[in-house]
Amino acid sequence: FIQTALTQVLMLSFTSRFHPFNCFRLCGAIRCSSSSVPFQQYSFQKEASSQMVAGCALFDATDTLMHLKEPVGVTYSRFAQMHGLKVEPANEMSLRFKKCFKVIKPISYSSLHLLDVGHIAKIERAWWRKVVLEVFGCADSEAFDACFADCFDHFGSGAAWIVSPDAVQTLGRLRSEGWAVGVLSNFDLRLTKVLSELGLMPSAADGLVTVPAHT
């Protein structure tokens, strides 16, 4: 993990005090889980502090700090069976998910900047419902609603994920050496809960926030 992390880190030099970060461009060192999501420019800010900081390290979440415990298709198939829905075999579901995720138009977050978090969360949930319905290929019904709700909650919790080997140790080592550590990901608003439950949430002392890297 450490080698992967070092190739996916953005390092900045700081003076003895934190000032608002200027917008900076994230290069290909930090990957997004969807190739359709381009890298963006973001600003970060921390209140003035006398603490010396060696630099800033930003990590992607999915497939870097954490991984799914099992393929998406396996999870979907299990939940579908629990709710009496007939779907394709797990391996086919995984293939359908990859296809649907790429084909269905992503959320345009740039048009949502005036909305509050609650509204954005509803839009994200509706988008995922559309994706999952397409993957399942079943009728839109109460049974699907219940199944989707369970799936959505599952992937929005630490129960669906496993921490990458050495991730916690690496983050702790960076912090001990004076680095501010943050997470930049195109995951949705559920990421904060997932990271918290996995023990990966950036410390408030880092002065960095988890930001969705969507367009």
PDB file of all heavy atoms in Angstrom, residues 1-24:
ATOM      1  N   PHE A   1       0.827  -1.213   0.000  1.00  0.00           N
ATOM      2  CA  PHE A   1       0.000   0.000   0.000  1.00  0.00           C
ATOM      3  C   PHE A   1       0.856   1.255   0.000  1.00  0.00           C
ATOM      4  O   PHE A   1       0.540   2.228  -0.650  1.00  0.00           O
ATOM      5  CB  PHE A   1      -0.928   0.011   1.217  1.00  0.00           C
ATOM      6  CG  PHE A   1      -1.674   1.310   1.390  1.00  0.00           C
ATOM      7  CD1 PHE A   1      -2.811   1.567   0.634  1.00  0.00           C
ATOM      8  CD2 PHE A   1      -1.227   2.283   2.254  1.00  0.00           C
ATOM      9  CE1 PHE A   1      -3.482   2.766   0.763  1.00  0.00           C
ATOM     10  CE2 PHE A   1      -1.884   3.474   2.386  1.00  0.00           C
ATOM     11  CZ  PHE A   1      -3.026   3.712   1.642  1.00  0.00           C
ATOM     12  N   ILE A   2       1.965   1.227   0.748  1.00  0.00           N
ATOM     13  CA  ILE A   2       2.777   2.432   0.883  1.00  0.00           C
ATOM     14  C   ILE A   2       3.286   2.903  -0.471  1.00  0.00           C
ATOM     15  O   ILE A   2       3.228   4.092  -0.797  1.00  0.00           O
ATOM     16  CB  ILE A   2       3.961   2.183   1.837  1.00  0.00           C
ATOM     17  CG1 ILE A   2       3.428   1.931   3.261  1.00  0.00           C
ATOM     18  CG2 ILE A   2       4.913   3.362   1.843  1.00  0.00           C
ATOM     19  CD1 ILE A   2       4.505   1.606   4.270  1.00  0.00           C
ATOM     20  N   GLN A   3       3.770   1.981  -1.312  1.00  0.00           N
ATOM     21  CA  GLN A   3       4.259   2.368  -2.638  1.00  0.00           C
ATOM     22  C   GLN A   3       3.143   2.981  -3.460  1.00  0.00           C
ATOM     23  O   GLN A   3       3.321   4.001  -4.124  1.00  0.00           O
ATOM     24  CB  GLN A   3       4.831   1.156  -3.362  1.00  0.00           C
ATOM     25  CG  GLN A   3       6.298   0.894  -3.030  1.00  0.00           C
ATOM     26  CD  GLN A   3       6.901  -0.105  -3.989  1.00  0.00           C
ATOM     27  OE1 GLN A   3       6.207  -0.999  -4.479  1.00  0.00           O
ATOM     28  NE2 GLN A   3       8.181   0.023  -4.266  1.00  0.00           N
ATOM     29  N   THR A   4       1.962   2.353  -3.431  1.00  0.00           N
ATOM     30  CA  THR A   4       0.812   2.890  -4.168  1.00  0.00           C
ATOM     31  C   THR A   4       0.454   4.264  -3.654  1.00  0.00           C
ATOM     32  O   THR A   4       0.192   5.192  -4.418  1.00  0.00           O
ATOM     33  CB  THR A   4      -0.405   1.961  -4.016  1.00  0.00           C
ATOM     34  OG1 THR A   4      -0.047   0.663  -4.467  1.00  0.00           O
ATOM     35  CG2 THR A   4      -1.584   2.482  -4.824  1.00  0.00           C
ATOM     36  N   ALA A   5       0.450   4.409  -2.331  1.00  0.00           N
ATOM     37  CA  ALA A   5       0.077   5.681  -1.725  1.00  0.00           C
ATOM     38  C   ALA A   5       1.027   6.788  -2.133  1.00  0.00           C
ATOM     39  O   ALA A   5       0.606   7.896  -2.457  1.00  0.00           O
ATOM     40  CB  ALA A   5       0.067   5.540  -0.202  1.00  0.00           C
ATOM     41  N   LEU A   6       2.315   6.487  -2.140  1.00  0.00           N
ATOM     42  CA  LEU A   6       3.292   7.515  -2.468  1.00  0.00           C
ATOM     43  C   LEU A   6       3.162   7.990  -3.901  1.00  0.00           C
ATOM     44  O   LEU A   6       3.499   9.126  -4.223  1.00  0.00           O
ATOM     45  CB  LEU A   6       4.703   6.990  -2.197  1.00  0.00           C
ATOM     46  CG  LEU A   6       5.042   6.784  -0.718  1.00  0.00           C
ATOM     47  CD1 LEU A   6       6.442   6.191  -0.583  1.00  0.00           C
ATOM     48  CD2 LEU A   6       4.944   8.103   0.039  1.00  0.00           C
ATOM     49  N   THR A   7       2.670   7.138  -4.794  1.00  0.00           N
ATOM     50  CA  THR A   7       2.480   7.552  -6.176  1.00  0.00           C
ATOM     51  C   THR A   7       1.153   8.282  -6.342  1.00  0.00           C
ATOM     52  O   THR A   7       0.865   8.813  -7.406  1.00  0.00           O
ATOM     53  CB  THR A   7       2.498   6.345  -7.124  1.00  0.00           C
ATOM     54  OG1 THR A   7       1.433   5.469  -6.790  1.00  0.00           O
ATOM     55  CG2 THR A   7       3.808   5.613  -7.041  1.00  0.00           C
ATOM     56  N   GLN A   8       0.303   8.280  -5.303  1.00  0.00           N
ATOM     57  CA  GLN A   8      -0.996   8.924  -5.385  1.00  0.00           C
ATOM     58  C   GLN A   8      -1.106  10.050  -4.373  1.00  0.00           C
ATOM     59  O   GLN A   8      -2.144  10.322  -3.808  1.00  0.00           O
ATOM     60  CB  GLN A   8      -2.095   7.898  -5.151  1.00  0.00           C
ATOM     61  CG  GLN A   8      -2.105   6.842  -6.222  1.00  0.00           C
ATOM     62  CD  GLN A   8      -3.213   5.871  -5.995  1.00  0.00           C
ATOM     63  OE1 GLN A   8      -4.076   6.096  -5.185  1.00  0.00           O
ATOM     64  NE2 GLN A   8      -3.204   4.783  -6.723  1.00  0.00           N
ATOM     65  N   VAL A   9      -0.006  10.706  -4.114  1.00  0.00           N
ATOM     66  CA  VAL A   9       0.023  11.726  -3.089  1.00  0.00           C
ATOM     67  C   VAL A   9       0.372  13.069  -3.721  1.00  0.00           C
ATOM     68  O   VAL A   9       1.158  13.142  -4.629  1.00  0.00           O
ATOM     69  CB  VAL A   9       1.058  11.331  -2.020  1.00  0.00           C
ATOM     70  CG1 VAL A   9       2.300  12.106  -2.120  1.00  0.00           C
ATOM     71  CG2 VAL A   9       0.484  11.412  -0.647  1.00  0.00           C
ATOM     72  N   LEU A  10      -0.244  14.113  -3.212  1.00  0.00           N
ATOM     73  CA  LEU A  10       0.059  15.450  -3.698  1.00  0.00           C
ATOM     74  C   LEU A  10       0.736  16.185  -2.565  1.00  0.00           C
ATOM     75  O   LEU A  10       0.157  16.314  -1.503  1.00  0.00           O
ATOM     76  CB  LEU A  10      -1.215  16.170  -4.110  1.00  0.00           C
ATOM     77  CG  LEU A  10      -1.010  17.607  -4.570  1.00  0.00           C
ATOM     78  CD1 LEU A  10      -0.194  17.606  -5.854  1.00  0.00           C
ATOM     79  CD2 LEU A  10      -2.321  18.299  -4.784  1.00  0.00           C
ATOM     80  N   MET A  11       1.960  16.627  -2.752  1.00  0.00           N
ATOM     81  CA  MET A  11       2.724  17.228  -1.674  1.00  0.00           C
ATOM     82  C   MET A  11       2.875  18.727  -1.904  1.00  0.00           C
ATOM     83  O   MET A  11       3.268  19.161  -2.969  1.00  0.00           O
ATOM     84  CB  MET A  11       4.098  16.572  -1.574  1.00  0.00           C
ATOM     85  CG  MET A  11       4.026  15.082  -1.276  1.00  0.00           C
ATOM     86  SD  MET A  11       5.631  14.273  -1.238  1.00  0.00           S
ATOM     87  CE  MET A  11       6.000  14.258  -2.991  1.00  0.00           C
ATOM     88  N   LEU A  12       2.553  19.481  -0.872  1.00  0.00           N
ATOM     89  CA  LEU A  12       2.680  20.931  -0.938  1.00  0.00           C
ATOM     90  C   LEU A  12       3.522  21.411   0.240  1.00  0.00           C
ATOM     91  O   LEU A  12       3.470  20.851   1.323  1.00  0.00           O
ATOM     92  CB  LEU A  12       1.299  21.599  -0.857  1.00  0.00           C
ATOM     93  CG  LEU A  12       0.332  21.257  -1.984  1.00  0.00           C
ATOM     94  CD1 LEU A  12      -1.007  21.919  -1.713  1.00  0.00           C
ATOM     95  CD2 LEU A  12       0.879  21.734  -3.314  1.00  0.00           C
ATOM     96  N   SER A  13       4.291  22.464   0.039  1.00  0.00           N
ATOM     97  CA  SER A  13       5.074  23.030   1.124  1.00  0.00           C
ATOM     98  C   SER A  13       4.288  24.142   1.781  1.00  0.00           C
ATOM     99  O   SER A  13       3.531  24.865   1.137  1.00  0.00           O
ATOM    100  CB  SER A  13       6.399  23.595   0.594  1.00  0.00           C
ATOM    101  OG  SER A  13       7.174  22.570   0.034  1.00  0.00           O
ATOM    102  N   PHE A  14       4.473  24.285   3.086  1.00  0.00           N
ATOM    103  CA  PHE A  14       3.749  25.300   3.842  1.00  0.00           C
ATOM    104  C   PHE A  14       4.722  26.165   4.630  1.00  0.00           C
ATOM    105  O   PHE A  14       5.830  25.743   4.948  1.00  0.00           O
ATOM    106  CB  PHE A  14       2.784  24.637   4.841  1.00  0.00           C
ATOM    107  CG  PHE A  14       1.671  23.908   4.180  1.00  0.00           C
ATOM    108  CD1 PHE A  14       1.803  22.574   3.833  1.00  0.00           C
ATOM    109  CD2 PHE A  14       0.489  24.558   3.869  1.00  0.00           C
ATOM    110  CE1 PHE A  14       0.786  21.889   3.222  1.00  0.00           C
ATOM    111  CE2 PHE A  14      -0.534  23.871   3.246  1.00  0.00           C
ATOM    112  CZ  PHE A  14      -0.386  22.546   2.927  1.00  0.00           C
ATOM    113  N   THR A  15       4.283  27.354   4.955  1.00  0.00           N
ATOM    114  CA  THR A  15       5.037  28.191   5.870  1.00  0.00           C
ATOM    115  C   THR A  15       4.661  27.770   7.275  1.00  0.00           C
ATOM    116  O   THR A  15       3.971  26.784   7.475  1.00  0.00           O
ATOM    117  CB  THR A  15       4.664  29.674   5.650  1.00  0.00           C
ATOM    118  OG1 THR A  15       3.260  29.822   5.866  1.00  0.00           O
ATOM    119  CG2 THR A  15       4.997  30.102   4.238  1.00  0.00           C
ATOM    120  N   SER A  16       5.052  28.511   8.271  1.00  0.00           N
ATOM    121  CA  SER A  16       4.783  28.124   9.644  1.00  0.00           C
ATOM    122  C   SER A  16       3.312  28.286  10.012  1.00  0.00           C
ATOM    123  O   SER A  16       2.882  27.869  11.075  1.00  0.00           O
ATOM    124  CB  SER A  16       5.636  28.967  10.604  1.00  0.00           C
ATOM    125  OG  SER A  16       5.336  30.340  10.434  1.00  0.00           O
ATOM    126  N   ARG A  17       2.546  28.912   9.172  1.00  0.00           N
ATOM    127  CA  ARG A  17       1.118  29.065   9.417  1.00  0.00           C
ATOM    128  C   ARG A  17       0.328  28.575   8.214  1.00  0.00           C
ATOM    129  O   ARG A  17       0.754  28.721   7.082  1.00  0.00           O
ATOM    130  CB  ARG A  17       0.744  30.528   9.691  1.00  0.00           C
ATOM    131  CG  ARG A  17       1.220  31.023  11.040  1.00  0.00           C
ATOM    132  CD  ARG A  17       0.817  32.467  11.236  1.00  0.00           C
ATOM    133  NE  ARG A  17       1.206  32.935  12.551  1.00  0.00           N
ATOM    134  CZ  ARG A  17       0.446  32.825  13.634  1.00  0.00           C
ATOM    135  NH1 ARG A  17      -0.731  32.234  13.547  1.00  0.00           N
ATOM    136  NH2 ARG A  17       0.859  33.277  14.798  1.00  0.00           N
ATOM    137  N   PHE A  18      -0.832  28.000   8.493  1.00  0.00           N
ATOM    138  CA  PHE A  18      -1.729  27.599   7.404  1.00  0.00           C
ATOM    139  C   PHE A  18      -2.410  28.844   6.868  1.00  0.00           C
ATOM    140  O   PHE A  18      -2.906  29.664   7.622  1.00  0.00           O
ATOM    141  CB  PHE A  18      -2.819  26.656   7.933  1.00  0.00           C
ATOM    142  CG  PHE A  18      -2.496  25.216   7.764  1.00  0.00           C
ATOM    143  CD1 PHE A  18      -2.177  24.431   8.849  1.00  0.00           C
ATOM    144  CD2 PHE A  18      -2.528  24.639   6.512  1.00  0.00           C
ATOM    145  CE1 PHE A  18      -1.905  23.092   8.692  1.00  0.00           C
ATOM    146  CE2 PHE A  18      -2.253  23.302   6.347  1.00  0.00           C
ATOM    147  CZ  PHE A  18      -1.938  22.520   7.446  1.00  0.00           C
ATOM    148  N   HIS A  19      -2.453  28.986   5.599  1.00  0.00           N
ATOM    149  CA  HIS A  19      -3.242  30.020   4.944  1.00  0.00           C
ATOM    150  C   HIS A  19      -4.196  29.308   4.006  1.00  0.00           C
ATOM    151  O   HIS A  19      -3.998  28.142   3.678  1.00  0.00           O
ATOM    152  CB  HIS A  19      -2.341  30.970   4.160  1.00  0.00           C
ATOM    153  CG  HIS A  19      -1.425  31.758   5.028  1.00  0.00           C
ATOM    154  ND1 HIS A  19      -1.862  32.807   5.785  1.00  0.00           N
ATOM    155  CD2 HIS A  19      -0.096  31.620   5.289  1.00  0.00           C
ATOM    156  CE1 HIS A  19      -0.850  33.312   6.468  1.00  0.00           C
ATOM    157  NE2 HIS A  19       0.234  32.606   6.189  1.00  0.00           N
ATOM    158  N   PRO A  20      -5.249  29.996   3.553  1.00  0.00           N
ATOM    159  CA  PRO A  20      -6.138  29.314   2.592  1.00  0.00           C
ATOM    160  C   PRO A  20      -5.320  28.792   1.421  1.00  0.00           C
ATOM    161  O   PRO A  20      -4.484  29.479   0.877  1.00  0.00           O
ATOM    162  CB  PRO A  20      -7.097  30.436   2.166  1.00  0.00           C
ATOM    163  CG  PRO A  20      -7.092  31.383   3.303  1.00  0.00           C
ATOM    164  CD  PRO A  20      -5.683  31.353   3.854  1.00  0.00           C
ATOM    165  N   PHE A  21      -5.562  27.549   1.074  1.00  0.00           N
ATOM    166  CA  PHE A  21      -4.873  26.976  -0.079  1.00  0.00           C
ATOM    167  C   PHE A  21      -5.335  27.699  -1.342  1.00  0.00           C
ATOM    168  O   PHE A  21      -6.502  28.003  -1.491  1.00  0.00           O
ATOM    169  CB  PHE A  21      -5.260  25.506  -0.256  1.00  0.00           C
ATOM    170  CG  PHE A  21      -4.620  24.584   0.711  1.00  0.00           C
ATOM    171  CD1 PHE A  21      -5.225  24.317   1.917  1.00  0.00           C
ATOM    172  CD2 PHE A  21      -3.419  23.969   0.405  1.00  0.00           C
ATOM    173  CE1 PHE A  21      -4.651  23.447   2.800  1.00  0.00           C
ATOM    174  CE2 PHE A  21      -2.834  23.100   1.296  1.00  0.00           C
ATOM    175  CZ  PHE A  21      -3.445  22.835   2.508  1.00  0.00           C
ATOM    176  N   ASN A  22      -4.408  27.959  -2.224  1.00  0.00           N
ATOM    177  CA  ASN A  22      -4.823  28.388  -3.549  1.00  0.00           C
ATOM    178  C   ASN A  22      -5.377  27.173  -4.263  1.00  0.00           C
ATOM    179  O   ASN A  22      -5.045  26.053  -3.937  1.00  0.00           O
ATOM    180  CB  ASN A  22      -3.630  28.957  -4.333  1.00  0.00           C
ATOM    181  CG  ASN A  22      -3.168  30.277  -3.767  1.00  0.00           C
ATOM    182  OD1 ASN A  22      -3.997  31.077  -3.353  1.00  0.00           O
ATOM    183  ND2 ASN A  22      -1.861  30.497  -3.735  1.00  0.00           N
ATOM    184  N   CYS A  23      -6.229  27.404  -5.234  1.00  0.00           N
ATOM    185  CA  CYS A  23      -6.741  26.262  -5.992  1.00  0.00           C
ATOM    186  C   CYS A  23      -5.559  25.570  -6.661  1.00  0.00           C
ATOM    187  O   CYS A  23      -4.676  26.216  -7.191  1.00  0.00           O
ATOM    188  CB  CYS A  23      -7.726  26.728  -7.071  1.00  0.00           C
ATOM    189  SG  CYS A  23      -9.341  27.173  -6.411  1.00  0.00           S
ATOM    190  N   PHE A  24      -5.561  24.271  -6.613  1.00  0.00           N
ATOM    191  CA  PHE A  24      -4.497  23.528  -7.261  1.00  0.00           C
ATOM    192  C   PHE A  24      -5.110  22.410  -8.078  1.00  0.00           C
ATOM    193  O   PHE A  24      -6.182  21.918  -7.782  1.00  0.00           O
ATOM    194  CB  PHE A  24      -3.496  22.971  -6.244  1.00  0.00           C
ATOM    195  CG  PHE A  24      -4.111  22.155  -5.156  1.00  0.00           C
ATOM    196  CD1 PHE A  24      -4.398  20.813  -5.352  1.00  0.00           C
ATOM    197  CD2 PHE A  24      -4.396  22.723  -3.927  1.00  0.00           C
ATOM    198  CE1 PHE A  24      -4.958  20.058  -4.352  1.00  0.00           C
ATOM    199  CE2 PHE A  24      -4.967  21.962  -2.913  1.00  0.00           C
ATOM    200  CZ  PHE A  24      -5.242  20.635  -3.121  1.00  0.00           C
TER     201      PHE A  24
END
